[in-house]
Amino acid sequence: MERREVTFRIKRFNPKKDVRPYYQEYKLTVPRGMTILEALQFIKDEIDPTLAFRAFCRSAICGSCAIKVNGFPKLACKTQVFTELDKFKTSLLTLEPLDNMEVIRDLIVDWDGAFERMKELKPYLIPDPKVVPDTLDEETRVYPEELKKYDKFTDCILCTSCYSICTATQIDEGYGGPFQLARLYRFAVDKRDGLKEERAKIGYAYDMWNCVRCEKCADVCPKHVGPVDAIMRLRGISIDIGLKDNPGARHVLAFYKSLMESGLLNEVLLPLRAKGIKGVLENLPVGIKMILKGKAHSPIMKPISEHESLIKLMKAAMEVE
């Protein structure tokens, strides 16, 4: 069996005695097939029993072993050492605790803040008495086409990988959080739920429009849930129920109106439609530079030759959605 010499550079920190975090290196001979979690366990059992990390199911189900491997959130139990060595073309792997949460010790972070925020959003079924019977003698059937709306969002294992890499979470204390908002959407489209689309108001209150669609949450999700998809759909629901008086919603509607009018993005009218006169004033310096360089187009745009086909495509896409 193939074996390689690997250096694990692990970020250590014990708040009870360390002034600041530091890195400690451990050199191991690793066989092909060994996971990061197995390497951590070997270090703890054979080299350094003081190393602290969290793990439980070892089957990518509980999400407790999420850490950063060379800067990216991963499930240690699911990630093989050789895969990471080949990906980064190195013999050194840096293991660190997840970001956006306080470090309890070494690779263990405090999840309480993330889960408290989730509880605030009420991401659990509030039965609709018109749909859900009040006795256990009857059941509510959920058909495949109904389940399909939220099925993948039920796969979240609460590993907090998305939360740790979310820049909106990092800078906005009022932001709901990626996995939290995805769970909110999951119940917003569940026919058994009593709040349904009203849940979009909760997302609105928890700054869901501050998501910048960087899609990092989708990149690092070990279950391919893609919280950003749920957040975009929750935004759509909020517009449908009339929550349009905010820059984010107006920006979306301005894009939509521009494409419906001509098939092209009207960048001249976009600031006005999204932010009003304030938007025009904010973008005035850029607008003047564009005019001077001949880059600004007329606010009156002729429709593209395939405009009718584009409109049909957009309407069909919205019906599917």
Side-chain angles (χ1 to χ4, degrees):
M1 178 181 288
E2 182 184 2
R3 295 177 180 272
R4 297 186 196 176
E5 299 292 325
V6 183
T7 299
F8 291 91
R9 181 171 176 263
I10 302 177
K11 192 171 187 178
R12 307 291 306 271
F13 182 55
N14 183 347
K16 293 182 180 178
K17 67 174 187 178
D18 297 328
V19 176
R20 63 181 63 85
Y22 63 96
Y23 289 90
Q24 190 165 355
E25 293 188 353
Y26 303 90
K27 294 185 178 179
L28 273 66
T29 300
V30 176
R32 177 174 289 281
M34 176 179 266
T35 64
I36 298 288
L37 179 57
E38 289 170 338
L40 287 171
Q41 193 63 55
F42 183 87
I43 294 170
K44 186 174 182 66
D45 292 343
E46 305 294 335
I47 304 175
D48 186 349
T50 68
L51 178 63
F53 56 92
R54 184 187 277 135
F56 187 66
C57 77
R58 300 167 187 266
S59 303
I61 295 174
C62 74
S64 63
C65 65
I67 59 172
K68 285 198 302 179
V69 179
N70 278 9
F72 296 92
K74 305 266 186 180
L75 291 185
C77 70
K78 185 183 177 182
T79 306
Q80 294 203 2
V81 175
F82 276 29
T83 302
E84 298 304 301
L85 296 178
D86 294 341
K87 183 186 299 180
F88 292 97
K89 302 184 186 309
T90 182
S91 61
L92 185 148
L93 295 180
T94 299
L95 309 182
E96 299 168 301
L98 296 177
D99 293 325
N100 286 344
M101 290 167 279
E102 185 178 350
V103 175
I104 296 175
R105 181 167 170 176
D106 296 340
L107 300 177
I108 301 174
V109 295
D110 187 353
W111 283 340
D112 286 355
F115 292 151
E116 284 299 322
R117 176 51 51 91
M118 181 177 70
K119 286 196 290 186
E120 291 174 14
L121 270 61
K122 297 181 172 57
Y124 46 81
L125 188 74
I126 299 175
D128 182 348
K130 296 178 182 176
V131 180
V132 181
D134 58 2
T135 73
L136 297 178
D137 298 328
E138 301 175 72
E139 62 182 10
T140 303
R141 291 185 178 180
V142 177
Y143 295 96
E145 61 272 19
E146 296 168 336
L147 177 63
K148 191 176 180 181
K149 294 179 181 176
Y150 58 83
D151 189 16
K152 79 167 184 174
F153 301 111
T154 65
D155 291 339
C156 173
I157 58 174
L158 301 177
C159 67
T160 68
S161 292
C162 61
Y163 185 85
S164 74
I165 204 165
C166 176
T167 51
T169 297
Q170 188 175 15
I171 65 173
D172 180 4
E173 292 183 356
Y175 184 60
F179 76 83
Q180 299 94 329
L181 289 168
R183 286 189 165 236
L184 189 63
Y185 169 77
R186 172 252 179 276
F187 289 102
V189 291
D190 189 328
K191 74 171 185 179
R192 299 167 299 174
D193 190 67
L195 294 180
K196 294 188 176 64
E197 64 271 11
E198 292 295 306
R199 289 183 179 273
K201 294 181 179 177
I202 300 176
Y204 183 87
Y206 280 89
D207 294 348
M208 66 176 173
W209 284 99
N210 282 356
C211 168
V212 296
R213 298 184 64 185
C214 66
E215 305 210 3
K216 289 181 179 178
C217 59
D219 289 342
V220 302
C221 177
K223 292 296 184 180
H224 309 292
V225 170
V228 63
D229 295 339
I231 295 170
M232 294 306 108
R233 295 177 189 182
L234 197 61
R235 286 178 175 181
I237 294 174
S238 75
I239 292 175
D240 290 341
I241 64 173
L243 293 175
K244 304 176 182 178
D245 190 19
N246 63 86
R250 288 196 296 268
H251 193 74
V252 170
L253 294 172
F255 261 71
Y256 177 75
K257 187 174 183 179
S258 182
L259 294 175
M260 292 297 285
E261 287 174 345
S262 65
L264 295 170
L265 177 60
N266 195 325
E267 293 176 319
V268 176
L269 293 181
L270 186 63
L272 178 63
R273 288 172 170 171
K275 293 185 177 179
I277 297 299
K278 180 185 176 185
V280 173
L281 296 175
E282 286 178 351
N283 290 275
L284 191 58
V286 176
I288 292 174
K289 289 181 181 178
M290 291 176 66
I291 292 172
L292 293 176
K293 292 181 178 295
K295 301 291 185 181
H297 57 72
S298 167
I300 302 174
M301 303 178 73
K302 293 181 180 179
I304 60 175
S305 57
E306 304 86 0
H307 189 217
E308 290 187 7
S309 298
L310 175 65
I311 291 176
K312 290 180 181 177
L313 181 63
M314 290 172 60
K315 289 182 177 178
M318 292 178 70
E319 288 176 3
V320 171
E321 189 66 23

